[in-house]
Amino acid sequence: MKNSAIDAIMHPESLAVVGASTTPGKIGYTVLENLVKQGYTGKIYPINPSADEILGLKCYHSILEVPGTVDAAVMTIPAKLVPQAVEECGKKGVKGLIIITSGFSEVGKRELEEQIVDIAHQYNMRILGPNIVGVLSNSDKMNASFAPYLPLPGKATLVSQSGALLIAIDASTYTRGVGFDKLISIGNMSDLDFADMIAWLNDDPNTSCVTLYVEGFKNGRRFMDVCRASSKPIIALKSGVSAHGAAAAASHTGSLAGAAKVYGAAFEQAGVVQASDLDNLFDRTLALSLQPPMKGDNLLIITNGGGVGVLATDAAERYDLPLKFAPAEVQAELKKHMPEFGSAKNPVDLTGMAGNEWYHDAIKFAYAHNWVDGLVVLYCETAVTDPLEIAKSIKSALDESGTKGKPVTVSFVGGERSEKAMSWLVDHGIPAYGAPDTAVNAMAALREFARMKEMVNESVAACGEEGRAEALKVIEHARAEGRDSLTEIEAKQVFSAYGLPVTRTKLATSEDEAVAIAREIGFPVVMKIVSPDILHKSDAGGVKVNIKDEAAVREAYRAILTNARNYKSDANIHGIAIQEMAPWGTEVILGSVNDQTFGPTMMFGLGGIFVEVLKDVTFRVAPVATSQALRMLAEIRGAPILAGIRGEEPRDRKVLAETICAYSNMILDLADEIAESDANPVLVYAEGKGVKVVDARIILKPRP
Ligand code: ADP
Ligand code: MG
């Protein structure tokens, strides 16, 4: 049912234009004109209560007067008239609505927007919009929008949350030479959202890559699920990554843009390739729409110029595809297709003497060789070669190689002749770019897609589920006392219930008890204030470490109580925690937030100044699979510290990654209870020696 409504919107056999206007320049006129003049072959019904004919078509005063069936309706009438028009469409049996009209949630009129969705759903209709430009489709020759013309034809489909940007992109497809089959404006996403369109496009034979311009989602998890299930490459440009940008995006679309790092993490976990800016979105879209994914790490670069070769080599490292030398037998064969002074290493330098034949033979061999996972061909225009002939040699070499399913990108550096040759290549399915850096970046997108696809369906290890009852008991106890935070002891009980390795801790309410517990645990011990009113214990002089004997325990007991009372005289003090003193280890932080778009989300970073000053932290939406946890450890700037620097042994990243997984399972399982939490610090030991959580904090969600 759902898909048939989207089908009706995307391929209507009959389309009503509700609000068709007789006045050129008005949106209601432009939409009708675009449909009539740009090749749409379905039936078009202009609807206008006071016109009889527009652009040579019979005009109906109400959609209910249209004689035949109507699959979809485009609306351009003022917002206040939309509810009634939606009702009439429902009565008429229309399946899908393209609501161009603005003046809904984006200007605060949320109720009006909810009203039209409710009416539409009563009639099993779906809504695209409101506040959109419309839908443009080359394969249906349908321009159901007020954008001026259909985009340059291509294999990608753009779904854009910004209407103005969609129109600008429409025009620039011609100048950039990057084509699209469809441009879909989704505006306020009152009903159909990114997830619906991605799911539908996955079955669209005319779309090979889904390109997204995103300002913010309402339901981040559903987006992730749909992307994971999609077999096609999806690439997203997310705006609003700066704090100021996020505010602009929020007021502009009526939806809130979440933290940039969390979006980045969600895209990675969902297998969505990211673009860094608008140019990059086009460049990467071109490669993703024309070429297969790059399934391994071995990139080979073939060039006729040392300079562009070095630029490409630098770019390869920058985009996480560092070059390796090709095996000896590959080098030996390539040597046959270059002069004595050429280089068969990687980049393969055929030298400025290279003509069509050397390019052809070197590419044909390299592309077919098993070692090569992806090929970037570079060419600098020379006096003795014709760029178009080189382009044709590249194409025929690939065709003759007998190999398929391996990606190629190309860069020609030169003038007008090179531009023409590159257009020829793109027309023949080979993405070509004016700079070597861009060709490598496009290849990196194909690699990222393949790499993420391998990871996204990895299942998350189940753990700690038996701990739920125990954790809830601790939480209920705190709630019963009217608290919205747990003490360190309680938080550690919850962590421990989910299998996290915490330091052994017990509460003492008298000096004698403190001594007895310290003996039981074994010296040295750490002593800390336990008070729901003191969250940062060190600030209150509430932490004493390395306490070595009974006398020191008694002294610390008194000192901590005095410090705490001086810090906050009315603090409710539960007692003093006596805990095992963990040996020195590398300090890291694990934490969680409840992201408004994606829900429970994990944070990881190194402790101390790394987190406080450098904000060197990374996120993943829970649950976090082990491979993703390992990527978190690798992607912070301080990663070398975990790998072991200055002769230090590498840290136990395996156990740390498992701890992140377990922690992420806990925050997901307790999503209704935990608002925020952290384990700060967690001490990480040498490989094989594990980790220890020495401090724990949990803030509870208010009960609804
Ligand atoms: P808070 O963050 O509330 O000030 P912590 O419990 O994190 O208090 O203690 C402060 C510091 O003391 C920690 O960062 C850690 O360096 C050290 N520490 C705390 N507990 C232990 C422990 N059990 N073993 C070893 N060191 C500890
Ligand atoms: Mg702490």
Side-chain angles (χ1 to χ4, degrees):
M1 267 322 267
K2 280 188 177 175
N3 277 6
S4 72
I6 305 180
D7 281 341
I9 287 172
M10 301 305 298
H11 315 292
E13 283 174 18
S14 48
L15 195 52
V17 179
V18 179
S21 168
T22 51
T23 317
K26 286 207 162 178
I27 288 181
Y29 182 87
T30 307
V31 172
L32 188 66
E33 190 185 31
N34 285 345
L35 284 166
V36 172
K37 295 195 178 158
Q38 292 181 30
Y40 176 65
T41 54
K43 289 205 175 75
I44 306 171
Y45 300 110
I47 313 293
N48 180 328
S50 52
D52 298 320
E53 194 194 292
I54 311 176
L55 285 161
L57 291 172
K58 178 175 165 50
C59 187
Y60 297 86
H61 294 172
S62 150
I63 193 161
L64 295 167
E65 289 173 14
V66 174
T69 56
V70 180
D71 285 340
V74 193
M75 285 191 195
T76 61
I77 49 177
K80 63 178 191 299
L81 303 178
V82 170
Q84 198 201 329
V86 171
E87 184 87 47
E88 286 177 9
C89 284
K91 289 194 175 126
K92 178 66 190 167
V94 171
K95 298 190 194 91
L97 303 174
I98 301 170
I99 303 185
I100 289 177
T101 310
S102 50
F104 292 88
S105 68
E106 83 282 8
V107 295
K109 294 198 175 157
R110 210 163 276 282
E111 276 169 28
L112 187 62
E113 191 164 299
E114 280 163 14
Q115 190 193 352
I116 62 171
V117 175
D118 284 348
I119 300 170
H121 285 180
Q122 280 165 28
Y123 292 97
N124 285 324
M125 294 187 291
R126 301 296 306 265
I127 292 176
L128 189 70
N131 186 26
I132 60 173
V133 171
V135 176
L136 300 93
S137 168
N138 269 311
S139 49
D140 294 84
K141 297 241 174 303
M142 177 178 83
N143 181 358
S145 84
F146 61 90
Y149 33 70
L150 289 167
L152 178 74
K155 292 182 164 183
T157 284
L158 172 78
V159 184
S160 173
Q161 210 170 345
S162 160
L165 192 69
L166 182 133
I167 297 176
I169 286 177
D170 183 17
S172 77
T173 57
Y174 291 90
T175 51
R176 291 174 191 264
V178 178
F180 288 85
D181 186 61
K182 298 177 181 67
L183 305 180
I184 303 168
S185 172
I186 55 170
N188 294 3
M189 305 189 290
S190 68
D191 182 20
L192 295 173
D193 61 9
F194 280 109
D196 296 301
M197 299 324 290
I198 291 165
W200 188 86
L201 290 167
N202 199 41
D203 297 327
D204 174 28
N206 299 309
T207 297
S208 67
C209 167
V210 181
T211 302
L212 311 176
Y213 170 75
V214 176
E215 288 172 356
F217 302 136
K218 286 172 184 159
N219 186 343
R221 283 187 183 256
R222 185 160 165 260
F223 171 83
M224 291 176 75
D225 289 343
V226 168
C227 291
R228 277 197 195 102
S230 171
S231 56
K232 294 178 183 176
I234 302 166
I235 176 164
L237 175 62
K238 164 78 176 82
S239 70
V241 294
S242 59
H244 188 76
S251 51
H252 169 192
T253 63
S255 82
L256 286 167
K261 282 196 171 178
V262 179
Y263 267 90
F267 288 143
E268 159 93 28
Q269 288 172 277
V272 174
V273 178
Q274 296 179 65
S276 54
D277 58 31
L278 208 50
D279 286 337
N280 192 239
L281 184 70
F282 277 97
D283 294 336
R284 295 190 138 203
T285 290
L286 186 66
L288 290 166
S289 68
L290 296 178
Q291 292 287 309
M294 181 176 171
K295 294 196 177 110
D297 286 326
N298 297 336
L299 170 65
L300 191 79
I301 295 178
I302 295 180
T303 179
N304 70 341
V308 291
V310 177
L311 287 172
T313 306
D314 291 349
E317 198 163 305
R318 193 155 57 243
Y319 304 128
D320 218 9
L321 266 182
L323 293 190
K324 294 172 238 165
F325 290 136
E329 85 268 14
V330 176
Q331 295 195 25
E333 176 64 31
L334 288 168
K335 261 288 179 195
K336 297 180 190 160
H337 311 297
M338 62 180 73
E340 197 53 45
F341 59 96
S343 168
K345 294 190 168 119
N346 194 10
V348 176
D349 187 353
L350 305 175
T351 80
M353 285 172 64
N356 307 338
E357 233 162 86
W358 283 353
Y359 262 106
H360 176 275
D361 296 349
I363 291 169
K364 184 173 165 184
F365 165 75
Y367 189 63
H369 197 280
N370 270 341
W371 183 82
V372 176
D373 296 313
L375 189 62
V376 170
V377 181
L378 309 176
Y379 162 75
C380 288
E381 214 174 298
T382 67
V384 295
T385 49
D386 174 7
L388 188 58
E389 291 307 316
I390 297 285
K392 287 180 176 166
S393 303
I394 294 172
K395 168 79 175 137
S396 63
L398 297 174
D399 290 346
E400 290 163 23
S401 70
T403 303
K404 276 199 180 102
K406 231 187 246 186
V408 183
T409 66
V410 173
S411 171
F412 279 21
V413 180
E416 228 170 286
R417 293 192 307 160
S418 286
E419 292 290 333
K420 285 204 176 112
M422 286 194 283
S423 299
W424 187 91
L425 281 167
V426 172
D427 288 344
H428 290 82
I430 301 167
Y433 306 92
D437 181 291
T438 320
V440 173
N441 183 291
M443 183 59 72
L446 295 162
R447 179 74 195 112
E448 284 162 31
F449 173 54
R451 180 180 56 68
M452 289 188 292
K453 270 293 160 198
E454 276 168 28
M455 287 171 76
V456 289
N457 293 318
E458 183 196 350
S459 56
V460 176
C463 58
E465 267 143 27
E466 65 287 352
R468 185 179 168 83
E470 199 182 324
L472 287 177
K473 214 164 79 188
V474 176
I475 291 168
E476 283 314 324
H477 174 77
R479 289 206 192 268
E481 289 184 1
R483 285 187 276 135
D484 62 1
S485 67
L486 303 188
T487 63
E488 178 188 331
I489 294 191
E490 291 166 335
K492 277 184 179 165
Q493 285 167 349
V494 173
F495 280 18
S496 163
Y498 285 86
L500 297 169
V502 300
T503 44
R504 231 182 119 201
T505 308
K506 275 186 152 180
L507 182 71
T509 51
S510 72
E511 244 179 80
D512 288 343
E513 203 183 353
V515 170
I517 294 171
R519 284 223 179 89
E520 183 197 325
I521 288 177
F523 290 104
V525 292
V526 173
M527 293 171 66
K528 299 182 195 175
I529 188 75
V530 181
S531 162
D533 301 318
I534 301 176
L535 284 180
H536 299 283
K537 302 174 290 288
S538 303
D539 294 352
V543 179
K544 301 265 180 216
V545 301
N546 204 16
I547 294 163
K548 291 187 173 130
D549 54 34
E550 185 182 323
V553 170
R554 291 184 187 278
E555 196 187 308
Y557 193 93
R558 284 183 295 235
I560 290 174
L561 282 185
T562 312
N563 292 346
R565 293 223 173 84
N566 288 341
Y567 181 77
K568 206 166 191 227
S569 58
D570 61 344
N572 171 13
I573 292 169
H574 289 190
I576 306 275
I578 316 296
Q579 59 186 254
E580 95 187 65
M581 165 105 180
W584 179 88
T586 303
E587 289 198 0
V588 304
I589 295 181
L590 304 187
S592 79
V593 291
N594 224 309
D595 186 82
Q596 58 184 349
T597 308
F598 295 99
T601 298
M602 277 301 292
M603 185 202 81
F604 161 74
L606 291 179
I609 59 157
F610 291 98
V611 60
E612 275 150 34
V613 183
L614 301 173
K615 310 236 179 305
D616 186 17
V617 294
T618 178
F619 293 85
R620 287 293 185 283
V621 176
V624 183
T626 315
S627 58
Q628 287 292 345
L630 286 167
R631 281 187 68 79
M632 292 177 87
L633 306 189
E635 73 194 12
I636 56 165
R637 277 172 287 154
I641 291 172
L642 293 171
I645 44 163
R646 291 202 219 110
E648 239 175 50
E649 278 177 85
R651 304 286 98 189
D652 201 334
R653 285 171 290 191
K654 182 171 167 282
V655 171
L656 181 55
E658 286 163 7
T659 307
I660 291 175
C661 294
Y663 196 135
S664 77
N665 282 341
M666 171 185 79
I667 57 171
L668 195 60
D669 199 35
L670 298 176
D672 294 336
E673 307 291 339
I674 299 181
E676 261 179 72
S677 70
D678 64 38
N680 179 18
V682 176
L683 301 176
V684 188
Y685 301 111
E687 264 171 17
K689 303 235 166 74
V691 307
K692 203 68 145 181
V693 176
V694 305
D695 187 18
R697 189 154 67 120
I698 291 177
I699 310 291
L700 299 175
K701 271 189 175 175
R703 274 278 154 80

